[in-house]
Amino acid sequence: MDLKNKEYIDKIKTLAKEKNAVIFAHYYTRPEIQECADFIGDSLALAQQATRVHANILVMCGVHFMGETMKILCPDKKVLIPDMNAGCSLADSCKAEDLKKFIINNSQFTDKKPIVVSYVNTSADVKALTDVVVTSSNAKKIVDQLPKDAKIIFGPDHNLGSYINSVTGREMILWNGACHVHSRFSLEALLQLKAENPGVEVLAHPECKAPILAQSDVIGSTKALLEHTIKSSARRFIIATESGILFEMQRACPDKEFIPVPPEVTEGIGCSCNECEYMRMNTLEKLYNCLLNESPEMQVEKETAAKAISSIQRMLEMS
Ligand code: 13P
Ligand code: SF4
């Protein structure tokens, strides 16, 4: 089938209505996917909203861990994801068996059992080893609520962990993981953009490296950055996060200008875009087929889900 975007969007919306399906999309997905969505959000909002909707089918246009989180929270619903191969380099940087060893190593020679805090960008197996999950929206709030003398292990994002340490005054033990998109923003290009656009606010996601964050005026989750652009009286912004968010920013603020920070180009062959290729795997064709065939369907092994749900629910309670 070779349909144009508009035709696909109409067909997807009609099919979703017929099947009582709700479509969720993350801000980093393609603009046409965001146009199909009933609900667009950051990781926290997507998880919260999934528990509130009454529908037979939930379609998660995002990456694998988002579909898994949704299935764990809504075990009785059919959770579909347009492409099962839409992974996440950050989630992949922390395997459950390695985290298990890390926890054991950091539990030796101390009578204090560490509290394991994991970013939501992790597999269900990692969440099953976790005491409380966080997102970039609520990480500070949740870490602030943990006992002051607690020994805390935080993973997998080292940049986010360092940032949370700096704003909470904690000394959490950090896993050394990273997102390949947020790690590759060019400091040189950002400094040049700032010089060319004096006074323009810089907005960055906390998964960016510390030197990028040090040059930023606002640091927050995708939703927090979007909300800032809406309420700010400024007209122009420099944006250091995945460029999919620009669609929603531009839609919400048609008269404002958003300047994306480019990635570093290494040895002349570096990626010339700041897109997450996993998020971009969600296409209209795959979304349509997934709704039509009700496949691929997300499944999470029962035992893993039973262990993982408490760390996710703890997050929702503490948010
Ligand atoms: P948010 O929770 O801020 O939307 O971030 C999700 C993500 O994958 C960032 O790379
Ligand atoms: Fe994962 Fe990075 Fe893509 Fe977010 S942008 S889904 S952290 S690879």
Side-chain angles (χ1 to χ4, degrees):
M1 189 177 354
D2 183 21
L3 298 175
K4 293 206 178 67
N5 280 5
K6 168 87 180 71
E7 277 175 73
Y8 259 129
I9 293 170
D10 290 347
K11 278 178 159 283
I12 288 165
K13 286 188 173 172
T14 308
L15 198 52
K17 210 170 185 177
E18 275 168 29
K19 295 200 172 211
N20 188 21
V22 174
I23 301 173
F24 296 77
H26 188 268
Y27 291 121
Y28 293 162
T29 51
R30 295 166 185 272
E32 61 271 24
I33 293 287
Q34 296 188 43
E35 276 193 46
C36 289
D38 299 294
F39 187 82
I40 313 170
D42 66 358
S43 307
L44 177 63
L46 291 168
Q48 285 171 326
Q49 192 63 19
T51 62
R52 292 178 191 141
V53 297
H54 300 286
N56 303 333
I57 297 176
L58 310 181
V59 188
M60 182 63 239
C61 301
V63 291
H64 190 272
F65 77 81
M66 293 177 175
E68 247 183 5
T69 305
M70 200 166 257
K71 182 65 187 175
I72 294 167
L73 283 169
C74 312
D76 301 330
K77 302 238 162 89
K78 187 175 264 190
V79 175
L80 306 175
I81 159 164
D83 191 331
M84 276 292 164
N85 294 317
C88 167
S89 56
L90 180 52
D92 287 347
S93 70
C94 185
K95 301 276 176 246
E97 58 271 25
D98 298 330
L99 179 64
K100 214 182 254 178
K101 287 183 204 147
F102 192 71
I103 297 170
I104 293 171
N105 289 342
N106 284 289
S107 306
Q108 282 171 348
F109 316 115
T110 170
D111 48 3
K112 254 190 220 164
K113 193 177 168 300
I115 297 176
V116 181
V117 179
S118 293
Y119 193 33
V120 69
N121 297 42
T122 43
S123 66
D125 289 324
V126 164
K127 289 186 177 81
L129 298 171
T130 296
D131 293 302
V132 58
V133 169
V134 298
T135 72
S136 47
S137 272
N138 58 22
K140 180 182 180 311
K141 186 173 180 188
I142 290 177
V143 170
D144 274 339
Q145 291 174 63
L146 300 178
K148 288 282 169 273
D149 61 347
K151 181 172 181 171
I152 305 170
I153 289 177
F154 182 96
D157 193 70
H158 197 277
N159 295 327
L160 174 66
S162 303
Y163 171 69
I164 297 299
N165 272 345
S166 74
V167 291
T168 58
R170 302 286 181 130
E171 289 178 2
M172 300 188 295
I173 301 162
L174 306 180
W175 183 267
N176 195 16
C179 155
H180 71 298
V181 180
H182 287 85
S183 306
R184 69 186 177 207
F185 286 114
S186 161
L187 178 61
E188 204 186 335
L190 172 58
L191 294 175
Q192 195 178 330
L193 282 174
K194 284 182 78 163
E196 288 165 3
N197 300 279
V200 171
E201 283 186 342
V202 179
L203 277 50
H205 195 279
E207 286 174 25
C208 294
K209 286 181 181 167
I212 297 281
L213 298 183
Q215 292 295 328
S216 302
D217 302 295
V218 182
I219 298 168
S221 73
T222 48
K223 182 166 176 259
L225 299 183
L226 171 67
E227 284 175 355
H228 179 82
T229 60
I230 296 169
K231 69 172 195 283
S232 170
S233 57
R235 319 291 323 149
R236 303 176 74 224
F237 305 87
I238 296 173
I239 309 292
T241 190
E242 211 274 358
S243 57
I245 187 76
L246 300 187
F247 173 71
E248 202 49 38
M249 287 176 171
Q250 203 68 77
R251 183 153 76 168
C253 314
D255 55 342
K256 295 187 180 179
E257 189 190 341
F258 304 99
I259 309 163
V261 179
E264 272 167 7
V265 178
T266 43
E267 294 165 15
I269 50 158
C271 173
S272 60
C273 68
N274 41 24
E275 295 178 354
C276 171
E277 57 270 46
Y278 302 113
M279 289 283 185
R280 308 282 153 164
M281 285 181 177
N282 294 279
T283 61
L284 286 176
E285 188 178 5
K286 286 185 211 167
L287 173 54
Y288 177 74
N289 287 331
C290 134
L291 255 175
L292 187 69
N293 305 320
E294 300 188 17
S295 169
E297 184 180 352
M298 179 57 73
Q299 301 288 2
V300 181
E301 209 239 317
K302 273 208 170 78
E303 209 182 314
T304 309
K307 287 185 192 155
I309 189 132
S310 26
S311 59
I312 304 171
Q313 264 168 351
R314 201 160 295 129
M315 166 184 82
L316 295 177
E317 286 156 19
M318 293 171 84
S319 292

